[in-house]
Amino acid sequence: MGAIGLTLYGVVLFSAVDARGDDAVANEIVDVYGGHPAMTHYHDHNVPERLDVRPGADGRSAITGYVRDGFPLYGYLGVGGTELTNGDLDVCHGHSHGTLGYHYHAPMEYPYTIGCYKGTPR
């Protein structure tokens, strides 16, 4: 999938797979922030715990970036500060609740960010 979005800290977010189609976080050398350089560009493959440190008043992770289809990407914590898993989210790794509307979460398990696009990538 390549570049799937942009983090609020200015780093391009790639999908979980590398050029061979393997789990990049498990098989590539990534730094403590979940990213690495490729050619001349640094990019992330996940939202690591150390960058998901700004929970909102309800305990949910803050927005960490936006996916190419325009939906926001939150970290791995849901309402109440509960760590979300793939089973808590739809096939694209998002859900709707409250006034937030549809949004993605970045769980700590593969594929770490989105499983597919809910909207149309731009």
Side-chain angles (χ1 to χ4, degrees):
M1 289 173 73
I4 61 166
L6 184 65
T7 66
L8 293 183
Y9 45 93
V11 175
V12 174
L13 183 63
F14 273 40
S15 71
V17 297
D18 62 18
R20 295 179 305 273
D22 295 329
D23 180 338
V25 175
N27 295 303
E28 297 281 329
I29 298 172
V30 295
D31 62 23
V32 295
Y33 297 104
H36 62 142
M39 306 288 230
T40 60
H41 296 86
Y42 181 88
H43 63 271
D44 288 341
H45 287 280
N46 68 340
V47 177
E49 185 175 0
R50 68 181 56 237
L51 292 178
D52 191 15
V53 294
R54 300 174 297 140
D58 62 0
R60 178 183 31 84
S61 294
I63 294 175
T64 59
Y66 286 88
V67 177
R68 289 182 51 209
D69 61 3
F71 290 111
L73 174 68
Y74 287 79
Y76 66 95
L77 298 177
V79 173
T82 303
E83 184 176 329
L84 297 171
T85 67
N86 290 344
D88 298 317
L89 305 167
D90 66 20
V91 68
C92 292
H93 286 130
H95 61 181
S96 289
H97 62 81
T99 59
L100 294 177
Y102 189 82
H103 57 279
Y104 298 106
H105 278 277
M108 300 293 267
E109 57 191 342
Y110 182 88
Y112 314 111
T113 56
I114 66 169
C116 57
Y117 292 108
K118 183 70 170 184
T120 303
R122 299 169 195 216

